[in-house]
């Protein structure tokens, strides 16, 4: 069965099957920002059974006026602090931020498909 997803106005499609073998390239690699909204902060803190304050101190940093999830260094790469190398999954999957849920359908990638293809092996031509 095909697991190809398309989205209106996006010039590419996404094959979800690629996630099984790609080793979380969207959660690892170059350093970046994983932004979380106020609502998302509350949800993740609740999932982790932490107060919002404790969660923020342990897992977030401020970038401009936004908050981003911290990364850790692994060899020559960076990875989201919630990336689970053992299971190739997300430790906060049920409450992962919208930025993660909507990947790879981000406005930015509409005009940067080559960059996206380098990062995500699931991208296919529509
Ligand atoms: S980079 Fe693409 S294929 Fe790999 S886990 Fe992320 S969405 Fe799936
Ligand atoms: S929150 Fe989860 S899905 Fe998002 S970058 Fe981190 S590990 Fe990946």
């Amino acid at each position: 069965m095909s697991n190809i997803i398309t989205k209106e106005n996006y010039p590419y499609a996404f094959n979800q099957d690629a996630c099984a073998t790609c080793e979380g390239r969207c959660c690892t690699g170059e350093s970046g920002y994983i932004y979380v909204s106020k609502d998302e902060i509350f949800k993740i803190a609740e999932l982790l059974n932490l107060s919002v304050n404790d969660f923020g101190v342990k897992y977030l940093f401020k970038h401009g006026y936004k908050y981003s999830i911290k990364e850790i260094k692994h060899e020559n790469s960076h990875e989201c602090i919630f990336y689970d190398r053992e299971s190739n999954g997300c430790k906060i999957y049920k409450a992962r931020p919208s930025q993660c849920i909507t990947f790879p359908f981000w406005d930015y990638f509409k005009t940067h498909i080559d960059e996206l293809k380098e990062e995500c092996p699931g991208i296919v031509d529509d």
Side-chain angles (χ1 to χ4, degrees):
M1 199 170 75
S2 168
N3 271 321
I4 305 254
I5 297 172
T6 56
K7 200 166 174 200
E8 202 177 343
N9 297 325
Y10 281 80
Y12 52 83
F14 170 52
N15 179 2
Q16 280 187 303
D17 291 341
C19 297
T21 50
C22 120
E23 299 181 349
R25 278 160 65 174
C26 51
C27 307
T28 66
E30 283 182 31
S31 182
Y33 299 104
I34 308 147
Y35 292 117
V36 277
S37 68
K38 193 173 154 194
D39 282 353
E40 290 166 345
I41 289 171
F42 276 85
K43 278 185 195 155
I44 303 168
E46 191 181 4
L47 181 76
L48 298 176
N49 221 4
L50 291 173
S51 70
V52 168
N53 190 56
D54 287 351
F55 168 66
V57 169
K58 196 166 177 190
Y59 294 111
L60 301 179
F61 67 95
K62 204 159 185 202
H63 179 241
Y65 59 89
K66 295 180 177 177
Y67 286 95
S68 173
I69 295 173
K70 287 180 184 174
E71 298 173 314
I72 50 174
K73 271 204 98 176
H74 178 76
E75 295 172 352
N76 292 324
S77 177
H78 295 79
E79 58 193 37
C80 174
I81 199 164
F82 293 122
Y83 176 63
D84 185 353
R85 184 164 286 283
E86 299 274 305
S87 69
N88 185 28
C90 172
K91 290 177 184 166
I92 55 162
Y93 188 82
K94 280 188 193 158
R96 70 201 190 287
S98 153
Q99 177 176 326
C100 307
I101 294 170
T102 55
F103 184 86
F105 294 103
W106 294 354
D107 273 352
Y108 172 81
F109 289 131
K110 285 180 178 174
T111 50
H112 296 80
I113 303 176
D114 288 345
E115 193 181 320
L116 176 60
K117 280 183 173 172
E118 265 181 40
E119 179 173 350
C120 175
I123 301 304
V124 288
D125 292 323
D126 193 13

